[in-house]
Amino acid sequence: MSTREQSEAMSNGGTITTSPAALKEWAVTVRALEQGRQIVVLRKGGISEETRKFQLASKDFYLMPAYEHQRRELLKESNKELLDEVLHEWEGPEASHIVISSRAHVAEDILITDQEVLDRIRELHIWTDDFAMERLKWKRRDPLHVLLLRVYRLPQPLQLPMEPSFTGCKSWIAAGPPLEADRVIPVLDDEEFKRRCSEIRSLLGTDGEH
């Protein structure tokens, strides 16, 4: 099944029968998404991307926490305790496994090229302005993807043995069983999620374009 076919099959919470995608993101960011602190991620792709730029492999995917390269100084003061929390959980025997406890659906992929525009949503995520600027300036010729994510908690977390393919600076990993919509629990209710999406679109100047 092609990436496009996977995306269509997964649209609106459907099920695919091939290995699904998992998006690697800082563990602290995954925790913020799962707690409803934010609904956005900022992506430009990792150093090891085959395409050398970020591409949306699927509109539905698992959220795979990544523990390498997390930097305390790039988190707002009020959110640094989240990093302590996830790092504490990663110590000991748990470090031999990856625990996936959520999945996401991309409601919108907004492309940003201007720092001033990106600054408009600075209060709606856990990162500092320096982090946002780093993401925007990385691979300067490519736009920054601001993904609006509808996040769902899994009824039972997945515990996957750590594999070499899970490491490295790349966005997408093939991991976990086929995604299913049954029994997943939305982090935000429909009304609140729509309100936040509308707020972000308005701030970024994309209202009416989706």
Side-chain angles (χ1 to χ4, degrees):
M1 180 181 288
S2 68
T3 298
R4 180 179 178 182
E5 290 171 331
Q6 287 186 12
S7 178
E8 291 173 350
M10 283 301 305
S11 179
N12 297 319
T15 303
I16 58 176
T17 57
T18 57
S19 296
L23 179 69
K24 280 187 64 178
E25 183 57 79
W26 280 6
V28 66
T29 302
V30 173
R31 185 61 53 86
L33 291 165
E34 292 176 344
Q35 292 183 356
R37 297 194 186 202
Q38 67 186 55
I39 65 168
V40 300
V41 295
L42 311 178
R43 302 299 302 214
K44 263 212 183 171
I47 296 173
S48 302
E49 302 288 2
E50 292 182 2
T51 60
R52 300 189 179 276
K53 64 179 64 176
F54 180 79
Q55 292 183 344
L56 194 59
S58 174
K59 294 190 73 172
D60 292 81
F61 42 80
Y62 290 115
L63 290 169
M64 174 177 282
Y67 294 87
E68 63 265 31
H69 308 311
Q70 297 184 110
R71 294 165 56 188
R72 181 178 300 275
E73 68 272 19
L74 295 182
L75 297 174
K76 293 171 184 168
E77 193 65 37
S78 59
N79 294 285
K80 290 182 178 180
E81 85 281 358
L82 278 185
L83 182 59
D84 296 330
E85 186 179 303
V86 297
L87 290 178
H88 177 73
E89 293 174 2
W90 183 241
E91 296 174 354
E94 292 81 4
S96 63
H97 290 76
I98 288 290
V99 177
I100 296 176
S101 52
S102 57
R103 50 166 286 192
H105 173 78
V106 178
E108 191 162 356
D109 181 1
I110 301 172
L111 302 182
I112 299 294
T113 58
D114 186 85
Q115 181 70 46
E116 186 274 331
V117 174
L118 185 58
D119 286 345
R120 297 174 192 168
I121 61 170
R122 58 158 55 101
E123 302 302 325
L124 302 180
H125 56 68
I126 66 173
W127 309 299
T128 63
D129 289 347
D130 285 344
F131 175 93
M133 182 176 64
E134 281 190 11
R135 282 285 169 103
L136 182 65
K137 290 186 175 180
W138 167 250
K139 301 181 180 179
R140 186 182 294 271
R141 294 183 179 181
D142 299 326
L144 180 70
H145 294 253
V146 179
L147 303 181
L148 307 189
L149 300 185
R150 185 76 190 269
V151 178
Y152 300 86
R153 296 299 297 262
L154 301 180
Q156 183 68 38
L158 304 174
Q159 189 173 74
L160 307 177
M162 177 61 75
E163 299 181 8
S165 62
F166 294 173
T167 62
C169 295
K170 50 194 172 185
S171 298
W172 299 103
I173 304 292
L179 284 84
E180 296 181 359
D182 296 345
R183 298 185 297 123
V184 293
I185 305 166
V187 170
L188 301 174
D189 62 33
D190 292 349
E191 183 177 349
E192 175 63 11
F193 181 72
K194 289 178 181 178
R195 185 195 69 77
R196 293 202 197 181
C197 285
S198 179
E199 178 184 16
I200 292 171
R201 291 179 184 125
S202 179
L203 289 170
L204 297 181
T206 61
D207 247 359
E209 297 181 13
H210 56 284

